Each structure stands twice: as structure tokens, then as C-alpha cells.
Amino acid sequence: MTANRPAPAGTRLGDLWRILPEEATATDDGVLEIGGVAVTELAERFGTPLHVYDEAGLRRQIRRFIDGLHARWADSEVLFASKSLPAVGMYRIAQEEGLSVDVAGGGELRLALAAGVDPGRIHMHGNAKTDAELRMAIEAGVDTIIVDNEDELDRLERLLERPQKLLLRVIPGVEAKTHASQATGGATSKFGLPMDQAERAIGRMQAHRLMRFEGVHLHIGSQILDTAQFGEAVAKISSVGSFGTYDVGGGLGIAYTYDEQAPTVEDYLDAVVAAARANLPADARLLIEPGRSIVGRSGVTLYRATTVKRTGRTFVAVDGGLADQMDIALTQQRYEAILADRLLEPWTETAQVVGRQCESGDLLVDGAAMPPARVGDLVVMPATGAYAYTMSNNYNGALKPAIVFVSDGATRVVARRETYDDLLATHAPATAPAYA
């Protein structure tokens, strides 16, 4: 990891380094570097907005999960919750590093297969799988389908022609301490079945000649910073019965702001495994599904300031916005923003960092400390590695940014920037004669 981590007076760089990617540092003239590449070079070569990932730090984080869980519970498996970054380049890293993958829908399944992920390491999620998606999963030979409801069992009874491994998603009844939109384990969740209904669904699977019921799955939510809740969920799942496999989901949170504290991977694994030892069969297979906590810190979004206004407040407008940071509007998650090409100057101004979409709610960072901004400055939002690309959209005709992986001074584009031709492609029927 890089050692040069300056923290000059008048800045908050000392706090910033722990939320920026592991392989981030500053040049002598105050330019942010990630993976040995200056953001000024990245902006010049690839344009902005741009999603930038520290590949070395990303791979290191993956190993912490895989090696750490295996050391604590030998019969275990780590699945990447790929909804956090469904990019072919990320699926390839997962395959290379020994992560299995969970997908939620046909699109994620196609992306994973295109990346060369072994279908025998893919688990298929979803609370409303269609016949077509289940057929895709079965024909691809995915290892496991996580069944959400009895309607899905009806579909599988029609579609299965060979044995298929299944898990059942249950509602553990744990109200996660997170934003309401990210809580999935409470009694009113749309995901899974409550304990009393789970017994009937398990009986159906066990009685079917082609359904290979393996065990149960739970997931209490996302961006959870209290590890005790994971232990509570494991204890609850044990009440469903004694099975060969327990998938206890993911949800570990990360630090997004200077003042936010997040558990380490080790803290999380200690809590999960301690609860598993206390509540689950010693010979059971234990699965976890980290997503945000794998990719979140490793990614940043790079923007260029297009407008600076000092009216009732100081507004720094950038060349992106809600279209590439939708999670802010959905969950009210707080982020930070920095002038990435002027890091070492005193941060004497407090600015509203806003986007270019036509919404007053297009506020990326409320009250960002930075040097007095100028048009053309490079702005970086740290800890955007999870869900930013996932939720990117075409609001106001915005184009989805490219993704660049950086490592040891080298760069590689893993998703190109969307073009206006791409934007128009799905509208081609409207340009043809109406009644041809």
C-alpha cells in the first residue's frame, strides 16, 4: 500500500485517506493519484465523469474475505453480491480471485457468463423471477437457485428436467439499523418467506424428485455498521431447522464520510462465525455475500467543475449528477467531495457540490470543505465503488460514464463511455416510417 499520505494543516486529508482507495496518495504538487496514476491524466485520457477503481486494493479486499472466512470456517464460500457492480470487468476479477457470484436477474447472469464466470459458481437470486429467467439459469447450469416464494416453486416444477440445487430465502425477523430502503430482513420485507411458511416450502422441495434442497438463505439489509445484527440473524436462521447449507447474506457497510466508522472485515467475520459456531451444525456449509464492502471503497467518481456560483451559497456544479449517483437520492447517503488537483491547498470554503440534472434534489454533497473552487477543477467523490454504476441512467439525456481500472501505474478501460448513438439505438423504430 502507498505510504505517502500527507495531512497538511487546513485540510482533512488525514481523515480522507481511510475512505479513499487503499492505493491513493498525493503528488508533491497536490494531485490525487490512484493506483499510481494521477487524476489529471485520467481526466485527460478518458474524460469525465469517470468511474475509477483501484484494482490492487480491490483484489486485496477480496482476499480478506475469502482467506478470512476460510480460516474461521473451513467449509465456506464467499459470493460476490454483483448487484453492487455488475460489470464484466468486475465479474472477471471475481472469477480470477476465487469469488463465487450471486446474480439477480437475467441481465446480471448474462454479464457474468460473458465474463467467463463458471456457471457452477453462480447463484441466482430474485423475488420475482420470470419463467424466462429461471429457464436461462437452468440452461446455463447455475449451481444454485435461491427460491423466494411458492409461486417460484410452481414455475420450477414446470421447468426442471434435471436435478437443481436450491436454497430457500427466509425472513429472519431482524430489523436492520439502516435506511428503510436497504432493510430486507424485517417482518414486512418483500423478500423471502416467514418461518411458518418456510416449512411448507421446504417440504415441497424435499418431496420433489428434481429439487435438491440444500438449506436456507437470509439477508437482513445493506450498509449495516453494527456487527451484532449479523450474529442475531444467524441465531434466528437456526430456528428454521438443521440443514447442510446456510447462506447468511451480506450487508456489511463501509465508511463514506470523514466521521463515519465502519467495522473491519475481520470484525464482521468474527461476529458471523461466532454466531455460526453457537447456533449452526458444525459440519454445515457457510456462505456469505459481500458486495458494497468489496467494491465500495475501491472506486471513486471523477468529475470536472463546469460552473462556480457564489450567490446565497457557494455552488460547485460538475459535469455529472443524479444520473450517475442515484443512490444519494434513494438512501440519503452522505458522501464527501474534494478538489482532487488541489489537495494540499487550505480548504477554506464550504460548497454545495451539485449536478447538472434538472432537479433541486441533485445535490451530491451538502457542505463540502475545499479550497475556493474554479471552473475546470477536478472533483472526486470517494467511496462510490458500489451502486453508482449500477444505478446510472439517462436522466436529461446523460450518458453513462466509463469505468477504468488502475493498478501499478497502468490503466485499462473495462466499460466504455456511452455515446449518443447508443442512446438513440433503442429508439430506432421511431425513426422508421410509421406504417411500413
Side-chain angles (χ1 to χ4, degrees):
M1 278 183 269
T2 358
N4 177 24
R5 300 291 180 95
T11 75
R12 294 201 68 178
L13 280 173
D15 299 318
L16 182 67
W17 296 123
R18 65 182 181 81
I19 61 174
L20 278 165
E22 292 182 23
E23 296 293 329
T25 189
T27 65
D28 290 342
D29 54 352
V31 175
L32 179 67
E33 279 189 347
I34 299 173
V37 184
V39 294
T40 47
E41 178 184 344
L42 291 168
E44 181 67 26
R45 290 180 59 191
F46 304 111
T48 56
L50 183 68
H51 297 301
V52 182
Y53 282 83
D54 162 23
E55 184 174 340
L58 174 57
R59 290 179 184 270
R60 194 180 295 124
Q61 184 77 337
I62 291 170
R63 297 311 319 171
R64 290 185 184 112
F65 276 102
I66 295 176
D67 298 342
L69 182 60
H70 182 74
R72 291 165 172 81
W73 192 282
D75 190 4
S76 60
E77 187 174 5
V78 181
L79 288 78
F80 170 54
S82 70
K83 64 180 182 177
S84 60
L85 182 58
V88 169
M90 179 58 209
Y91 285 116
R92 282 193 172 165
I93 286 180
Q95 174 76 12
E96 292 165 2
E97 292 294 336
L99 276 173
S100 294
V101 169
D102 79 48
V103 298
E108 289 181 4
L109 176 58
R110 288 289 299 272
L111 290 166
L113 294 173
V117 176
D118 178 358
R121 286 169 51 186
I122 296 177
H123 288 210
M124 179 75 163
H125 275 282
N127 70 300
K129 304 180 193 72
T130 63
D131 282 20
E133 287 174 317
L134 286 169
R135 193 176 292 111
M136 284 174 62
I138 293 165
E139 291 175 354
V142 303
D143 181 78
T144 302
I145 296 173
I146 293 86
V147 174
D148 179 89
N149 53 72
E150 293 205 61
D151 293 330
E152 190 173 328
L153 290 179
D154 294 342
R155 293 187 173 94
L156 287 169
E157 285 175 348
R158 294 197 311 270
L159 296 171
L160 285 178
E161 297 179 352
R162 60 174 183 266
Q164 175 63 58
K165 289 164 61 177
L166 305 174
L167 295 176
L168 177 68
R169 181 161 182 171
V170 299
I171 300 173
V174 175
E175 297 291 344
K177 299 173 185 175
T178 187
H179 190 273
S181 67
Q182 297 171 316
T184 58
T188 59
S189 173
K190 76 172 186 177
F191 298 99
L193 293 176
M195 302 297 190
D196 57 336
Q197 295 181 32
E199 291 184 15
R200 185 175 63 222
I202 289 170
R204 284 184 65 180
M205 287 184 275
Q206 290 174 329
H208 195 280
R209 65 185 183 85
L210 296 179
M211 294 184 186
R212 298 292 181 260
F213 174 69
E214 300 282 315
V216 289
H217 170 280
L218 67 85
H219 178 65
I220 62 173
S222 187
Q223 185 53 16
I224 295 166
L225 303 177
D226 179 1
T227 59
Q229 292 213 288
F230 297 112
E232 180 186 353
V234 173
K236 290 281 186 71
I237 202 176
S238 67
S239 68
V240 185
S242 182
F243 309 113
T245 299
Y246 294 85
D247 185 334
V248 299
L252 177 62
I254 65 170
Y256 283 95
T257 69
Y258 301 126
D259 302 318
E260 199 166 30
Q261 299 293 322
T264 65
V265 173
E266 292 72 23
D267 292 337
Y268 164 75
L269 294 176
D270 284 345
V272 168
V273 172
R277 289 196 184 112
N279 296 282
L280 304 183
D283 59 349
R285 184 163 179 77
L286 182 64
L287 280 60
I288 62 172
E289 299 176 350
R292 181 193 311 267
S293 53
I294 285 180
V295 298
R297 181 184 175 187
S298 67
V300 306
T301 310
L302 176 62
Y303 297 104
R304 193 174 293 279
T306 59
T307 303
V308 178
K309 292 194 297 186
R310 294 176 175 89
T311 52
R313 294 180 173 181
T314 297
F315 292 97
V316 177
V318 298
D319 53 358
L322 275 180
D324 36 82
Q325 300 294 344
M326 182 60 74
D327 196 37
I328 296 170
L330 292 179
T331 70
Q332 289 75 59
Q333 177 60 56
R334 163 78 190 194
Y335 287 80
E336 305 290 357
I338 56 170
L339 293 190
D341 50 353
R342 298 169 59 198
L343 284 179
L344 305 184
E345 298 178 28
W347 301 3
T348 57
E349 192 164 59
T350 300
Q352 303 294 95
V353 179
V354 298
R356 63 182 307 276
Q357 271 71 59
C358 295
E359 294 286 340
S360 294
D362 188 13
L363 172 61
L364 299 179
V365 180
D366 182 5
M370 57 180 58
R374 303 184 290 254
V375 171
D377 282 339
L378 293 177
V379 177
V380 156
M381 285 179 56
T384 58
Y387 297 104
Y389 184 78
T390 305
M391 297 183 184
S392 57
N393 59 81
N394 298 121
Y395 194 178
N396 292 153
L399 303 176
K400 297 178 183 179
I403 303 175
V404 173
F405 284 179
V406 293
S407 182
D408 197 24
T411 62
R412 59 191 182 106
V413 177
V414 299
R416 66 167 173 79
R417 185 177 307 281
E418 193 174 30
T419 67
Y420 288 122
D421 286 340
D422 295 329
L423 187 64
L424 285 166
T426 56
H427 299 273
T431 66
Y435 298 100

